[in-house]
């Protein structure tokens, strides 16, 4: 299966999502949060650094639960940032 390359906006959204997760994680260790979400620390590292910019829904849901975040709030934050970036690029 050949994966379609990500657009710059998709890559930026993934980077923003990773930054939001890092911020929400705060002082908790990556290993602790990954274990609470049922993921490997390497998977969480890839998501947080934007190297895995499009994680599966259930991965996002597990991370949101482990970090006591609302899926709606995560989605809104990522979309709002993407909209601002797109508007800045078109201006």
């Amino acid at each position: 299966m050949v994966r379609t390359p990500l657009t710059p906006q998709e890559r930026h959204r993934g980077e923003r999502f990773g930054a939001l997760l890092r911020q929400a994680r705060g002082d908790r260790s990556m290993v602790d949060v990954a274990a609470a979400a049922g993921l490997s620390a390497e998977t969480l590292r890839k998501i947080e650094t934007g190297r895995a910019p499009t994680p599966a829904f259930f991965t996002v849901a597990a991370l949101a639960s482990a970090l006591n975040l609302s899926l709606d709030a995560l989605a809104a934050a990522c979309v709002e940032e993407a909209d601002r970036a797109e508007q800045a690029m078109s201006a």
Side-chain angles (χ1 to χ4, degrees):
M1 179 169 129
V2 176
R3 189 170 216 176
T4 309
L6 298 174
T7 66
Q9 291 84 7
E10 289 169 327
R11 284 194 302 275
H12 181 72
R13 187 175 56 225
E15 290 167 358
R16 176 68 182 148
F17 179 65
L20 289 168
L21 292 178
R22 277 192 308 279
Q23 182 181 13
R25 184 164 55 85
D27 292 337
R28 290 176 67 184
S29 76
M30 189 177 289
V31 172
D32 177 48
V33 172
L39 306 171
S40 70
E42 181 59 25
T43 296
L44 180 54
R45 182 177 294 109
K46 286 179 182 178
I47 294 169
E48 283 190 356
T49 60
R51 290 186 307 153
T54 57
F57 171 77
F58 290 104
T59 299
V60 174
L63 285 167
S65 176
L67 294 168
N68 295 319
L69 295 172
S70 156
L71 286 173
D72 289 336
L74 275 176
C78 289
V79 169
E80 289 170 8
E81 178 66 23
D83 288 345
R84 284 192 295 268
E86 189 173 313
Q87 288 171 357
M89 290 184 348
S90 64

